[in-house]
Amino acid sequence: MRPLPGALGVAAAAALWLLLLLLPRTRADEHEHTYQDKEEVVLWMNTVGPYHNRQETYKYFSLPFCVGSKKSISHYHETLGEALQGVELEFSGLDIKFKDDVMPATYCEIDLDKEKRDAFVYAIKNHYWYQMYIDDLPIWGIVGEADENGEDYYLWTYKKLEIGFNGNRIVDVNLTSEGKVKLVPNTKIQMSYSVKWKKSDVKFEDRFDKYLDPSFFQHRIHWFSIFNSFMMVIFLVGLVSMILMRTLRKDYARYSKEEEMDDMDRDLGDEYGWKQVHGDVFRPSSHPLIFSSLIGSGCQIFAVSLIVIIVAMIEDLYTERGSMLSTAIFVYAATSPVNGYFGGSLYARQGGGRLLHLFFCYSSSKSCWYNTWPKSVRFMEPAVIVCLGGILPFGSIFIEMYFIFTSFWAYKIYYVYGFMMLVLVILCIVTVCVTIVCTYFLLNAEDYRWQWTSFLSAASTAIYVYMYSFYYYFFKTKMYGLFQTSFYFGYMAVFSTALGIMCGAIGYMGTSAFVRKIYTNVKID
């Protein structure tokens, strides 16, 4: 039984509307980021690792640091996004209260034997730094430093915290590392800290501005890439419109002239072009179940991308640890009707389920007069079209790929979601234009296999993105080893595959509308 487009469409719209209403409530934080005087403020210890390789991280207490005397806290939170990202926060043991200054005080003592000293020396040689959090605000510090000769090594033992507050909210945190102590085996090293609270004029909504990098993300090359892609869209759309309008007009005129010819003249004439495959062009694709599933998944991925970008533009998701990933997972679950509607309806139209035998009978009756193998020229083979189809879509987004990769692998906070929205729109337009042109050439070569070809020619964008990830790995990162290499290319494979499925679905949907349009305007016997 065919799906009911109206009912499913209403259900999908209702689900998306409910999603937008619920998203602001899904933000997880500690007591809504508000504190009473002398209320507990937790200092979380996160990771430690080499500064030049941000992906090589370990637990903070994997180094022989000691823990403060405070053993318990009254609250703790962990979101789904944090868990999936591997964020494991550990309590520092430091006693910090809102607006309550702490004078320099020792909080623990390290019994430095040779093994612990060697661990600290290794960390200092490799320029290890660590990350902490207070009220979701990140703080970074250096483990230690070596002297000029590289013979003696020193550990920073004093954490001087300066916390800014505005009303009952924390809006700024700064760390100064002091108390340089030489690492000598079989000695005791005292770790100390102090907390200074100060009033700040920074608004709570603007407290993450200091962590953003406008010089990188709003660089001139970023603006130029957007402008360049936009001009390419205008040129491509104009070119496609001009070529297709002129070419199709000639085709329609030729086909109309052929209709006026008698049978003998028509038989002697040289019939060619996309009209000749009208009996086969709407037959089901090969492997319709897999094809329909891919189209449905691509439509869902597009819906997730669009909604998450819009929410990120409104909500500033970068201000919460793991909130972007949590939102994406929630949106993906909520948009499952999109997948079911587009994939299921396409499968039904292609004869899936109980309509299968009827559809084949209908297709056979229409195409019995034309069942010869397609007479396509070599450069119009589907394999060639698939390989070339992803070049222009990739060209429109590869600069943005650099910024996205850098934000993910170099831990820069990506916040220019307006750029991302423009790039998504440009990608959709370019993909549709390219697949329409490829499909027209394929049909004009009297090859009716346009469905998989339109999908794969657009999806081949993923191949170029994945090839670009190799360049980025070897020239823009300092990752090494089996684990980091497999981690990087595994993530890039998942990302590229999702992007390819989305582009393939977009290309097919646009091409399907084009094919139906041109064949409805031609009189077919």
Side-chain angles (χ1 to χ4, degrees), residues 4 15 30 39 41 44 51 58 86 115 143 161 166 189 240 262 293 331 369 405 425 438 452 471 519:
L4 299 177
E30 299 176 2
E39 184 179 345
V41 176
W44 298 106
Y51 180 79
Y58 309 94
E115 183 179 354
V143 173
L161 292 167
N166 190 341
I189 298 179
V240 169
D262 56 27
S293 300
V331 173
W369 67 276
F405 285 7
V425 173
C438 292
W452 273 108
Y471 163 80
Y519 279 97

Side-chain angles (χ1 to χ4, degrees), residues 282-295:
F282 293 115
R283 68 165 56 186
S285 63
S286 60
H287 309 290
L289 181 59
I290 298 176
F291 184 74
S292 302
S293 300
L294 289 173
I295 297 300

Side-chain angles (χ1 to χ4, degrees), residues 102-246:
V102 177
M103 301 303 294
T106 300
Y107 65 87
C108 69
E109 188 176 71
I110 301 175
D111 189 3
L112 192 69
D113 56 20
K114 184 180 184 305
E115 183 179 354
K116 292 180 180 179
R117 179 189 181 275
D118 292 342
F120 280 125
V121 169
Y122 178 84
I124 294 171
K125 282 183 177 179
N126 290 276
H127 307 286
Y128 272 39
W129 67 330
Y130 57 88
Q131 186 183 53
M132 309 180 294
Y133 284 102
I134 285 184
D135 195 50
D136 283 344
L137 290 175
I139 318 163
W140 297 276
I142 300 295
V143 173
E145 66 176 28
D147 62 5
E148 296 180 356
N149 299 323
E151 297 178 354
D152 296 323
Y153 299 90
Y154 299 87
L155 181 71
W156 296 111
T157 62
Y158 175 38
K159 293 179 175 64
K160 184 179 180 181
L161 292 167
E162 191 174 75
I163 306 176
F165 66 93
N166 190 341
N168 59 352
R169 294 175 178 264
I170 296 175
V171 295
D172 188 30
V173 181
N174 292 294
L175 170 68
T176 303
S177 298
E178 298 180 358
K180 186 168 65 174
V181 175
K182 185 178 179 179
L183 294 173
V184 179
N186 302 319
T187 59
K188 294 185 182 296
I189 298 179
Q190 293 183 338
M191 305 296 291
S192 58
Y193 80 111
S194 67
V195 180
K196 177 68 176 179
W197 293 85
K198 67 173 186 177
K199 191 173 183 179
S200 175
D201 295 329
V202 177
K203 295 181 180 179
F204 179 79
E205 296 79 11
D206 302 329
R207 67 178 188 157
F208 266 85
D209 288 356
K210 63 179 288 187
Y211 303 105
L212 306 181
D213 192 355
S215 62
F216 177 76
F217 285 105
Q218 299 186 32
H219 194 274
R220 187 180 304 171
I221 190 64
H222 205 170
W223 287 99
F224 177 77
S225 68
I226 297 295
F227 176 77
N228 185 50
S229 299
F230 182 72
M231 294 303 296
M232 184 175 71
V233 165
I234 295 178
F235 171 77
L236 188 59
V237 171
L239 183 64
V240 169
S241 301
M242 181 180 67
I243 292 176
L244 293 186
M245 290 295 292
R246 177 175 296 182

